C-alpha cells in the first residue's frame, strides 16, 4: 500500500478542481488523442489523464487499459505523489527499487506498474489538479525530448480544461438568460392584458366626457382632453411594441411555407390602412418564397410602417425590391422620408434607442420596433443594414437564409 500524500494547499487545490466541473464527465476525443499521443511518444503501454480527488484518482482519459476503469483509490495512487511538486514531473524508472513504492506490487488492471512518469496538470493559479502520466511493466528512461513533449501535452490538457469550463459557464449563462427571457415574455403578456383595457377605457371615457361637456369646455380644456387621449394611444402602442419584441422569438419557430411576396406585402398595406397620399411600389419580379411567413410579415410591417410614420413629404413613396441567390433572399425598402441623422445610424437597431425625431403625427418613437426587426432578421439567419440621408431618403437592406 502506497502511503497517502497530501499537498499543503489541499483544500484550495480541491476547490480549484471542483470548479472545473470536469469530474465524472464523459470521455472526449480531444483528451483521448492526447493520451494516445503520449503513449506513442514514450512507447509505453498505458497513458492516463488522472485527476486527484479527495479520496480517489479519476481518469478523464485512458489509453492502454479498459475504458471501464475510470478511477482507483487515492491511497494507492502514484499520481497523488506526483502532484506534491507541481514544478517537476515525477519519473520513476523502476518502482520495485524505489523505497517509497516497493513495499507492494502496484497494478493497474492487468499491468504491473514498474515504470511511471507523471507530469502535473497545473492550472493558472498554480494548483496541481492531477497528472498526464505514462506507465509500463518494465523499467524505462525518458529522453529530454520525450520529457519536453509530455510537458507540452500536459499544458494542452489544462487549456482544454479551461475551454471546457468556459463552454460550461456559457451554457449555464444561456440557460439563465433563456429563463429570464421567458419570464420577461410572460411579464409583457400580463402587462399587455392588464393595461390595454384600462387604456381603452380612458380613451372611451375621454370621448364620452367631451360629448357630455362639449358646450361647457373652453379651448384649453379641449386640448387637455386631446392630450389624455393621445397619451393613452401612445402608451398602448408602447405596450404592443414591448409585447411584439418579446414574442418575436416564438415567431421564428413557425414552420416555413410557400407564398408570393407581393401577396404578403398587400396584406400589410391593407393592415396599415394606407391613405391616398401614399404610393408603394412592389417588386416587379414577384418571387415565390419558402420561409417563415409570420416572421417576414412582422419585419415588413415594422419597416413599411416606419417609412410612413417618419415621412414629412406630401406624397409618401416607398419602393420595395427583392433579389436572391443560392443561399439567401435579399430585400430592400427605400422611402422618401425624413432620413436618419448620421450619428444615429450605428445605434438605430439597439433596444430603446431612437433617432430623437418625431413622426408625421408629432409623436416620438420608443426604440423597440427596429430592435425587434434586427432580432427577427438574425434569427432567420440574415443581416440588416441601413443607409440614409436626412430630408431625402432611408433604405433598409436585409437578408434571410433560404429554407431547404
Amino acid at each position: 500500500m502506497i502511503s497517502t500524500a497530501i499537498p499543503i494547499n489541499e483544500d484550495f487545490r480541491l476547490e480549484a478542481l471542483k470548479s472545473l466541473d470536469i469530474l465524472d464527465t464523459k470521455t472526449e476525443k480531444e483528451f483521448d488523442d492526447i493520451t494516445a499521443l503520449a503513449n506513442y511518444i514514450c512507447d509505453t503501454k498505458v497513458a492516463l489523464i488522472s485527476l486527484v480527488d479527495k479520496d480517489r484518482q479519476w481518469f478523464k482519459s485512458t489509453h492502454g487499459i479498459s475504458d471501464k476503469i475510470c478511477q482507483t483509490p487515492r491511497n494507492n495512487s502514484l499520481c497523488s505523489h506526483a502532484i506534491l511538486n507541481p514544478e517537476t514531473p515525477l519519473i520513476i524508472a523502476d518502482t520495485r527499487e524505489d523505497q517509497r513504492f516497493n513495499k507492494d506490487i502496484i497494478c493497474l488492471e492487468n499491468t504491473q506498474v514498474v515504470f511511471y512518469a507523471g507530469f502535473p496538470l497545473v492550472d493558472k493559479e498554480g494548483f496541481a489538479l492531477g497528472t498526464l502520466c505514462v506507465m509500463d511493466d518494465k523499467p524505462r528512461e525518458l529522453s529530454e525530448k520525450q520529457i519536453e513533449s509530455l510537458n507540452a501535452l500536459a499544458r494542452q490538457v489544462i487549456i482544454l480544461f479551461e475551454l471546457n469550463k468556459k463552454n460550461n459557464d456559457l451554457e449555464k449563462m444561456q440557460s439563465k438568460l433563456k429563463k429570464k427571457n421567458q419570464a420577461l415574455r410572460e411579464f409583457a403578456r400580463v402587462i399587455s392584458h392588464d393595461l390595454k383595457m384600462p387604456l381603452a377605457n380612458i380613451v372611451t371615457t375621454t370621448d364620452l366626457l367631451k360629448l357630455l361637456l362639449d358646450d361647457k369646455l373652453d379651448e384649453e380644456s379641449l386640448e387637455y382632453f386631446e392630450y389624455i387621449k393621445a397619451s393613452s394611444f401612445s402608451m398602448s402602442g408602447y405596450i404592443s411594441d414591448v409585447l411584439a419584441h418579446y414574442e418575436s422569438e416564438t415567431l421564428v419557430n413557425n414552420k416555413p411555407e410557400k407564398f408570393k411576396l407581393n401577396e404578403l406585402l398587400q396584406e400589410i398595406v391593407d393592415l396599415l390602412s394606407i391613405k391616398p397620399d401614399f404610393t408603394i411600389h412592389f417588386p416587379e419580379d414577384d418571387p415565390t418564397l419558402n420561409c417563415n411567413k409570420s416572421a417576414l410579415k412582422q419585419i415588413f410591417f415594422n419597416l413599411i410602417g416606419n417609412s410612413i410614420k417618419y415621412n414629412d413629404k406630401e406624397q409618401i413613396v416607398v419602393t420595395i425590391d427583392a433579389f436572391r441567390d443560392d443561399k439567401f433572399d435579399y430585400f430592400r425598402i427605400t422611402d422618401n422620408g425624413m432620413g436618419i441623422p448620421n450619428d444615429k445610424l450605428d445605434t438605430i437597431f439597439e433596444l430603446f434607442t431612437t433617432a430623437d425625431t418625431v413622426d408625421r403625427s408629432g409623436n416620438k418613437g420608443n426604440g423597440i420596433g427596429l430592435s425587434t426587426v434586427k432580432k427577427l432578421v438574425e434569427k432567420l439567419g440574415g443581416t440588416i443594414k441601413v443607409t440614409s440621408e436626412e430630408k431625402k431618403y432611408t433604405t433598409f437592406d436585409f437578408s434571410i437564409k433560404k429554407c431547404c
Side-chain angles (χ1 to χ4, degrees):
M1 185 72 69
I2 302 173
S3 61
T4 302
I6 305 295
I8 192 170
N9 59 0
E10 179 68 354
D11 289 341
F12 297 106
R13 188 193 70 82
L14 287 174
E15 185 178 340
L17 175 60
K18 301 289 186 185
S19 71
L20 287 176
D21 292 329
I22 197 76
L23 292 171
D24 300 309
T25 55
K26 294 180 180 179
T27 59
E28 297 176 66
K29 186 178 184 301
E30 293 82 358
F31 293 99
D32 291 342
D33 287 345
I34 289 177
T35 51
L37 186 57
N39 252 356
Y40 175 79
I41 290 171
C42 300
D43 193 24
T44 48
K45 285 195 170 184
V46 177
L48 306 171
I49 293 175
S50 171
L51 296 173
V52 182
D53 201 359
K54 183 178 181 180
D55 298 312
R56 61 172 177 160
Q57 61 173 357
W58 177 80
F59 307 136
K60 176 59 182 174
S61 175
T62 64
H63 193 272
I65 62 172
S66 170
D67 56 9
K68 294 181 180 179
I69 299 177
C70 60
Q71 63 183 41
T72 60
R74 181 173 176 175
N75 60 7
N76 193 31
S77 163
L78 289 164
C79 293
S80 64
H81 286 262
I83 65 172
L84 293 176
N85 188 354
E87 304 298 327
T88 308
L90 175 63
I91 301 175
I92 307 168
D94 191 338
T95 59
R96 298 168 301 183
E97 296 181 2
D98 192 301
Q99 293 183 355
R100 294 170 294 176
F101 313 114
N102 64 1
K103 295 179 183 179
D104 296 290
I105 296 175
I106 305 169
C107 289
L108 186 62
E109 197 175 32
N110 297 322
T111 300
Q112 180 181 356
V113 181
V114 175
F115 168 77
Y116 172 87
F119 292 75
L121 303 173
V122 184
D123 71 4
K124 59 185 178 182
E125 303 298 333
F127 297 116
L129 309 176
T131 69
L132 168 65
C133 59
V134 291
M135 298 175 243
D136 213 332
D137 58 1
K138 56 182 179 289
R140 302 188 65 90
E141 298 287 346
L142 294 181
S143 68
E144 288 297 322
K145 285 187 176 180
Q146 288 173 321
I147 292 173
E148 184 179 337
S149 297
L150 288 180
N151 271 321
L153 289 177
R155 290 192 293 270
Q156 291 303 308
V157 172
I158 285 294
I159 290 172
L160 285 176
F161 283 163
E162 291 174 349
L163 286 174
N164 270 12
K165 178 66 166 59
K166 288 178 180 179
N167 287 337
N168 289 339
D169 288 345
L170 283 173
E171 287 179 5
K172 290 177 181 177
M173 187 179 297
Q174 286 175 345
S175 178
K176 288 181 180 178
L177 286 174
K178 187 176 180 180
K179 290 179 180 178
K180 286 183 178 180
N181 282 335
Q182 289 173 343
L184 283 170
R185 284 197 297 273
E186 179 61 19
F187 175 75
R189 186 191 67 79
V190 171
I191 288 295
S192 175
H193 179 271
D194 290 353
L195 290 185
K196 274 201 163 186
M197 185 57 71
L199 286 170
N201 290 338
I202 291 173
V203 172
T204 303
T205 304
T206 301
D207 286 338
L208 181 60
L209 284 173
K210 282 178 64 179
L211 286 173
L212 293 174
L213 302 173
D214 187 39
D215 58 345
K216 299 178 182 178
L217 296 176
D218 57 22
E219 186 174 338
E220 185 178 0
S221 299
L222 287 171
E223 286 181 1
Y224 283 133
F225 273 103
E226 287 302 320
Y227 177 76
I228 293 171
K229 188 175 179 179
S231 297
S232 299
F233 277 126
S234 177
M235 180 61 72
S236 180
Y238 187 86
I239 293 169
S240 296
D241 287 344
V242 169
L243 183 61
H245 181 79
Y246 286 110
E247 285 187 339
S248 60
E249 287 190 10
T250 61
L251 280 179
V252 298
N253 295 326
N254 292 347
K255 292 182 179 180
E257 55 183 299
K258 286 188 176 182
F259 58 93
K260 284 285 190 179
L261 175 59
N262 288 357
E263 290 179 4
L264 174 71
L265 295 174
Q266 188 59 55
E267 290 178 20
I268 295 169
V269 170
D270 294 340
L271 284 171
L272 290 169
S273 301
I274 303 302
K275 296 180 180 179
D277 60 356
F278 174 78
T279 301
I280 184 166
H281 299 291
F282 292 168
E284 291 184 9
D285 178 18
D286 181 13
T288 299
L289 304 178
N290 181 27
C291 66
N292 187 326
K293 183 178 180 180
S294 298
L296 186 62
K297 185 175 183 178
Q298 185 65 47
I299 293 168
F300 272 116
F301 185 86
N302 281 12
L303 293 178
I304 296 172
N306 277 358
S307 292
I308 297 170
K309 286 194 298 182
Y310 296 98
N311 200 304
D312 53 359
K313 307 300 188 297
E314 289 186 10
Q315 185 66 30
I316 300 170
V317 179
V318 175
T319 302
I320 300 174
D321 296 302
F323 319 91
R324 59 197 338 184
D325 60 22
D326 293 339
K327 294 183 179 180
F328 292 90
D329 285 307
Y330 303 90
F331 307 96
R332 174 174 293 164
I333 301 177
T334 301
D335 64 55
N336 64 336
M338 303 174 184
I340 302 169
N342 285 333
D343 61 344
K344 300 295 181 180
L345 289 174
D346 292 335
T347 60
I348 200 68
F349 294 108
E350 294 177 9
L351 186 61
F352 302 124
T353 299
T354 68
D356 292 329
T357 56
V358 293
D359 64 21
R360 195 175 181 86
S361 302
N363 300 315
K364 189 176 179 181
N366 50 44
I368 300 175
L370 288 180
S371 173
T372 304
V373 166
K374 184 173 186 289
K375 186 177 180 181
L376 284 169
V377 168
E378 291 178 347
K379 289 286 185 180
L380 295 178
T383 58
I384 186 168
K385 66 177 183 178
V386 59
T387 55
S388 184
E389 185 175 344
E390 284 190 85
K391 302 297 182 181
K392 290 188 177 181
Y393 76 92
T394 296
T395 297
F396 287 94
D397 288 285
F398 71 94
S399 62
I400 61 172
K401 196 170 184 179
K402 284 186 174 180
C403 297
C404 299

